[in-house]
Amino acid sequence: MADDHDMALAGNFTHPYLDLSGDKLREECGVFGAINAERAAAATALGLHALQHRGQEAVGITSFDGRDFISRRALGHVADNFAEADAIAELPGAMAAGHVRYSTTGGAGLRNVQPLYAELASGGFAIAHNGNISNARTLRQDLVQKGSIFQSTSDTEVIIHLVATSRYPTVADRLIDALRLVEGAYALIVMTPEGMIACRDPLGVRPLVMGRMGDAVLFASESVAFDVVGAEMVREVEPGEMVRVSHSGEIESLRPFGSPPARPCIFEHVYFSRPDSYFAGHSVYEARKAIGAELAKEAPCDVDLVVPVPDSGVPAAIGFAQESGLPFELGIIRSHYVGRTFIEPSDSARHAGVKRKHNANRGLVAGKRIVLIDDSIVRGTTSLKIVEMMREAGASEVHFRVASPPTAHSCYYGVDTPERSKLLAARMELEPMRDFIQADSLAFISIDGLYRAVGAKGRDNACPQFCDACFTGDYPTRLTDLAREKRKDDELPFADPKAA
């Protein structure tokens, strides 16, 4: 029986690091698991701390002590909830899994904090999920009509109900049966009384890696989590692979979903992953420098200084400066005590939050022609404020270069993007975008340039090597829920101008 220690009240929680400006693509989630570890929950807490950038809204850890599953879940950061020895002591056992969350499907609230847990006919079942199920609403409606009762609004719970209603004999077979009905992206860590199962979607959209720490086997969203706990990265969990690890240490690799061409999320290289991680076989830091160098080749700029928009623009700015032979300078200083822009009641207050987070290095940029390097432009509001700030600091020219193509499409695979009508690149061509952010010039890296920077010859339009749907609109899976939603909209009387 699970003993669920829920440590916060969702209705009374205000998170100071949520960025309501919507001008960054919000990270999806991060997962970590350990089996056959001496203090599995402690290792999990450390690993989640290294993955905090992937989700800052909530955190949860579930452990298994050989008989019972014990869960502790809370809103807030890892350090706020798992820094004390007492918190870890409540989670005994040699197997544990954890999750840091930024809500995409299902919204905020304690009931959606993972790992989710259920008592199935076969025993306890805990699951931590990074990604998004793009047919979750359709599956949920079918399950509810058949009698399923949901305890959360998370798409992850759909997987639990599909496993519970499957008629296959083993938990692994029931999980495979469930995932064959699922569309979208997922990196899963599942705990059962028999051991741990890690699984990645057939296209490998969401990342998942495997590591070793003595006799312990670990899984994480990023390799940097292994560095923090003193583990060694073994390899990536392959797209479509299911890895089973027993309490006796046996490891079994299954390939139940065939081998379609992989499409890992290219934005992991641009922004999501920590720069000290490895993704798709490449150092993220080196990939970002290469992106900056490619950007300098495609969109050179006659300026005095290359200035990164911290912190995510720094590696690309280094690459841009090295390729162009221009000085790299910290013309913007970020306050690390502010974190993400505070929740504010008005646009003017939110815009003031940009200045609390970033401040111009006035003595450096005054009288200089500068080029700002950032990883992306989403709504454009933060970019506008930063350009204004640099002009106020005395910069004679402010140019803007972006280390990704224009973000013109929403993501349905676990990244919380604004609706498409609010994406600047979906509403405007390049010159109106430049005018909106008030830069002297604006350029984005091309999609082919981005592919070249991460080791490909360019984008193979017939068989792309990455998921780049946020740039191209080329979604690699069906989007059943979205299609049904659009059909319903088309059926409404006011959708017909004549009817209106």
Side-chain angles (χ1 to χ4, degrees), residues 214-260:
D215 293 331
V217 177
L218 312 177
F219 299 97
S221 294
E222 293 184 36
S223 62
V224 69
F226 298 152
D227 298 335
V228 171
V229 302
E232 177 186 359
M233 178 172 166
V234 175
R235 61 178 179 87
E236 291 191 4
V237 176
E238 296 296 327
E241 183 183 14
M242 179 178 286
V243 181
R244 298 171 59 187
V245 186
S246 70
H247 295 295
S248 62
E250 295 176 1
I251 301 174
E252 181 183 13
S253 172
L254 306 173
R255 307 278 182 152
F257 308 115
S259 300

Side-chain angles (χ1 to χ4, degrees), residues 175-238:
L175 180 60
I176 292 168
D177 187 36
L179 294 179
R180 285 193 171 126
L181 299 174
V182 160
E183 298 171 7
Y186 53 83
L188 303 176
I189 296 177
V190 172
M191 295 195 302
T192 74
E194 287 75 38
M196 180 169 283
I197 301 172
C199 187
R200 197 172 172 198
D201 66 76
L203 299 179
V205 177
R206 299 270 68 89
L208 192 63
V209 292
M210 179 178 175
R212 276 276 195 184
M213 185 173 64
D215 293 331
V217 177
L218 312 177
F219 299 97
S221 294
E222 293 184 36
S223 62
V224 69
F226 298 152
D227 298 335
V228 171
V229 302
E232 177 186 359
M233 178 172 166
V234 175
R235 61 178 179 87
E236 291 191 4
V237 176
E238 296 296 327

Side-chain angles (χ1 to χ4, degrees), residues 119-385:
E119 286 281 354
L120 306 184
S122 56
F125 185 93
I127 182 170
H129 169 211
N130 170 27
N132 196 61
I133 306 305
S134 59
N135 64 338
R137 287 198 299 274
T138 302
L139 292 171
R140 185 186 183 103
Q141 289 169 3
D142 183 57
L143 287 162
V144 168
Q145 288 173 359
K146 292 177 180 177
S148 291
I149 300 172
F150 283 75
Q151 301 298 313
S152 76
T153 55
S154 169
D155 60 335
T156 308
E157 192 178 356
V158 168
I159 298 173
I160 295 177
H161 285 271
L162 291 173
V163 171
T165 55
S166 173
R167 301 197 174 200
Y168 279 85
T170 69
V171 173
D173 287 337
R174 284 197 287 271
L175 180 60
I176 292 168
D177 187 36
L179 294 179
R180 285 193 171 126
L181 299 174
V182 160
E183 298 171 7
Y186 53 83
L188 303 176
I189 296 177
V190 172
M191 295 195 302
T192 74
E194 287 75 38
M196 180 169 283
I197 301 172
C199 187
R200 197 172 172 198
D201 66 76
L203 299 179
V205 177
R206 299 270 68 89
L208 192 63
V209 292
M210 179 178 175
R212 276 276 195 184
M213 185 173 64
D215 293 331
V217 177
L218 312 177
F219 299 97
S221 294
E222 293 184 36
S223 62
V224 69
F226 298 152
D227 298 335
V228 171
V229 302
E232 177 186 359
M233 178 172 166
V234 175
R235 61 178 179 87
E236 291 191 4
V237 176
E238 296 296 327
E241 183 183 14
M242 179 178 286
V243 181
R244 298 171 59 187
V245 186
S246 70
H247 295 295
S248 62
E250 295 176 1
I251 301 174
E252 181 183 13
S253 172
L254 306 173
R255 307 278 182 152
F257 308 115
S259 300
R263 296 282 297 273
C265 172
I266 201 166
F267 216 83
E268 293 284 345
H269 278 308
V270 175
Y271 176 68
F272 292 137
S273 291
R274 266 180 50 164
D276 45 346
S277 283
Y278 279 78
F279 174 69
H282 291 81
S283 159
V284 173
Y285 178 77
E286 292 298 332
R288 288 178 188 166
K289 283 178 60 180
I291 292 169
E294 189 68 33
L295 180 59
K297 295 174 186 175
E298 292 189 348
C301 200
D302 183 16
V303 294
D304 303 310
L305 300 176
V306 177
V307 175
V309 177
D311 287 326
S312 54
V314 170
I318 293 172
F320 190 100
Q322 290 176 347
E323 176 63 31
S324 58
L326 293 168
F328 168 91
E329 295 286 359
L330 297 180
I332 301 172
I333 305 302
R334 177 186 169 188
S335 171
H336 291 269
Y337 296 98
V338 174
R340 296 186 180 275
T341 307
F342 281 98
I343 295 172
E344 297 286 3
S346 67
D347 283 343
S348 61
R350 280 196 293 271
H351 293 159
V354 173
K355 290 191 175 181
R356 287 198 300 270
K357 183 176 179 181
H358 297 112
N359 192 44
N361 191 346
R362 187 177 296 269
L364 180 70
V365 303
K368 300 292 198 308
R369 301 169 302 161
I370 66 169
V371 57
L372 295 168
I373 311 293
D374 205 355
D375 61 86
S376 61
I377 294 179
V378 183
R379 293 176 192 249
T381 50
T382 297
S383 302
L384 166 62
K385 292 301 168 184

